[in-house]
Amino acid sequence: MSHNAPVVPDTMRAAVLSSIEKGLEIHTIRTPRPRAGEVLVKVSACGLCHSDLHVIGGAIAFPLPAVLGHEVAGQVVELGPGTEHSGLQVGQQVAGAFLMPCGSCPACAAGRDDLCGPFFSMNRLNGTLYDGETRLADCEGNPIAMYSMGGLAEYCVIPVTSVAPVPDTMDPVASAILGCAALTAYGAVRRSADLRAGQSVAVVATGGVGSNVIQLSKAFGAKDVIAIDISDEKLDAALALGATAVVNSATENARERVFEMTGGFGVDIAFEVLGRPQTWETALNVLRDGGRMVPIGLGAGVQTAGVEINRTVRRSQSIVGSYGALTRQDLPEVIRLAEAGIIRYEDIVTRQVSLDEVADTYDALRRGEIQGRAVVKM
């Protein structure tokens, strides 16, 4: 540690989920410390993501007590051992990605950060980091599980694989959304959809991730970017972000409208960003022959959606799931696109709340009241 390293307090405030009944409560817990290959980040902001609702509501099983929050921005305050080649320094602004590759499993060795085995088995199922232990504990020393880095807290520990520097010129609060909402959208558009200039796109559900899919599709040269949602407010926001047309699927027949707009063909690529059977159906219904449906939204628990077999077969349509992105390659690129103004990240953040308002804000998110993304400002 350098002589001017910031003083890290012994305790911190965090939003802790102790039980599904009680929901999120603000507690004082021990400040975590980084181990090998990890950094400690003083959180400036943490985004509130729709997939957190599945854990808070009990639809996706996760060990409790836990600290959620998986898209963060902040400042590096301490480097663990083995981080000397990371290029990270104390005092640097960074963004943290939800998908934290271990860096050494077979998937990571093949460059498939999105398929990291330990991330799924150890973090997503057990709430630990890759030595099998969490970094969080209450003041008595009882362990608290981490969902990704557990960013709804004043400090969080993140593996160096999953942080990237953010220029000082960027907003330290709004940049919280880069590590999930923007990164997930980038993975879907650039990797799974392999979007080419001149193709037509539909985006079904235009929240935090969907808003970024719209911007990136536009940036990558899509000819039509059709936003589909059930909220006129969200559709207006989609137009402001570059959608070329909008469809309210609550009041219009999405398939008929999209086919009308695309000369009777349907779209080349349909992104599904909510993880519900209805939105899967809409995305498949607006697809052209030979088209590709890219589902991004996580369902609640073990949810299924109907797929019409003969249409998929005869029309050579494909469904290509997209979970996040290739963190180590793609997070720096997402930050660059945001700095260049191609991802208008500040426009996506429509609500900044305090840590004490976190439970109420998730309730608003569950009710569909949050346009774009809400973030907790620490």
Side-chain angles (χ1 to χ4, degrees):
M1 280 175 49
S2 61
H3 59 279
N4 60 356
V7 176
V8 177
D10 292 334
T11 61
M12 65 173 186
R13 298 174 80 230
V16 180
L17 183 68
S18 304
S19 73
I20 303 304
E21 297 69 45
K22 285 186 188 165
L24 291 173
E25 299 172 314
I26 309 306
H27 290 301
T28 297
I29 65 173
R30 289 182 182 176
T31 305
R33 301 314 275 257
R35 295 184 189 170
E38 298 167 357
V39 296
L40 181 65
V41 171
K42 183 176 201 260
V43 177
S44 55
C46 180
L48 305 188
C49 176
H50 198 271
S51 58
D52 292 330
L53 293 176
H54 299 320
V55 179
I56 295 168
I60 287 181
F62 194 75
L64 300 180
V67 174
L68 304 182
H70 60 259
E71 49 175 29
V72 299
Q75 194 177 37
V76 175
V77 288
E78 192 181 329
L79 298 167
T83 55
E84 52 280 329
H85 301 301
S86 65
L88 296 169
Q89 290 151 6
V90 168
Q92 207 166 31
Q93 293 292 330
V94 292
F98 84 95
L99 208 166
M100 309 187 308
C102 75
S104 54
C105 71
C108 284
R112 286 302 301 265
D113 293 11
D114 55 328
L115 299 178
C116 172
F119 173 70
F120 288 101
S121 64
M122 301 179 86
N123 185 272
R124 273 297 172 269
L125 292 179
N126 290 324
T128 69
L129 289 181
Y130 307 136
D131 58 357
E133 292 182 23
T134 176
R135 300 291 173 268
L136 297 176
D138 64 20
C139 291
E140 284 72 59
N142 303 304
I144 298 174
M146 306 165 62
Y147 190 83
S148 286
M149 73 290 287
L152 285 170
E154 292 175 319
Y155 292 85
C156 68
V157 165
I158 315 179
V160 284
T161 55
S162 319
V163 289
V166 170
D168 289 338
T169 51
M170 287 177 64
D171 182 327
V173 175
S175 55
I177 65 126
L178 299 175
C180 174
L183 184 74
T184 300
Y186 182 88
V189 176
R190 165 76 183 78
R191 304 282 175 196
S192 300
D194 190 23
L195 177 66
R196 303 298 167 96
Q199 289 185 317
S200 55
V201 164
V203 183
V204 184
T206 60
V209 176
S211 300
N212 283 293
V213 172
I214 290 166
Q215 298 190 74
L216 286 165
S217 297
K218 197 87 180 152
F220 288 167
K223 160 176 94 214
D224 304 303
V225 181
I226 303 168
I228 303 175
D229 205 293
I230 55 172
S231 152
D232 285 334
E233 189 195 7
K234 288 179 184 175
L235 292 172
D236 288 344
L239 285 169
L241 288 170
T244 56
V246 294
V247 177
N248 186 322
S249 55
T251 57
E252 306 176 271
N253 180 316
R255 180 177 168 90
E256 283 174 14
R257 290 287 294 123
V258 169
F259 273 70
E260 240 169 68
M261 293 169 178
T262 53
F265 291 108
V267 293
D268 297 299
I269 299 159
F271 295 97
E272 188 288 317
V273 204
L274 196 55
R276 291 190 181 158
Q278 307 90 299
T279 42
W280 263 66
E281 197 178 321
T282 301
L284 288 166
N285 279 342
V286 299
L287 212 51
R288 69 176 296 150
D289 295 358
R292 180 178 288 204
M293 195 276 261
V294 180
I296 312 166
L298 285 178
V302 187
Q303 232 178 359
T304 57
V307 176
E308 194 185 315
I309 294 172
N310 288 4
R311 185 163 84 196
T312 308
V313 173
R314 288 180 176 144
R315 300 290 168 228
S316 297
Q317 292 175 336
S318 55
I319 299 172
V320 184
S322 184
Y323 187 60
L326 308 184
T327 304
R328 291 171 292 177
Q329 294 178 54
D330 295 346
L331 182 60
E333 180 58 15
V334 164
I335 293 168
R336 188 189 72 77
L337 290 168
E339 188 192 15
I342 291 165
I343 296 175
R344 281 157 48 195
Y345 68 105
E346 289 166 291
D347 295 349
I348 304 269
V349 177
T350 57
R351 221 181 264 201
Q352 297 188 11
V353 301
S354 71
L355 190 57
D356 296 301
E357 298 169 275
V358 67
D360 291 343
T361 311
Y362 273 119
D363 286 342
L365 182 63
R366 180 180 282 110
R367 293 192 298 264
E369 291 165 14
I370 308 273
Q371 176 219 313
R373 195 62 122 202
V375 302
V376 169
K377 183 179 178 178
M378 292 299 166

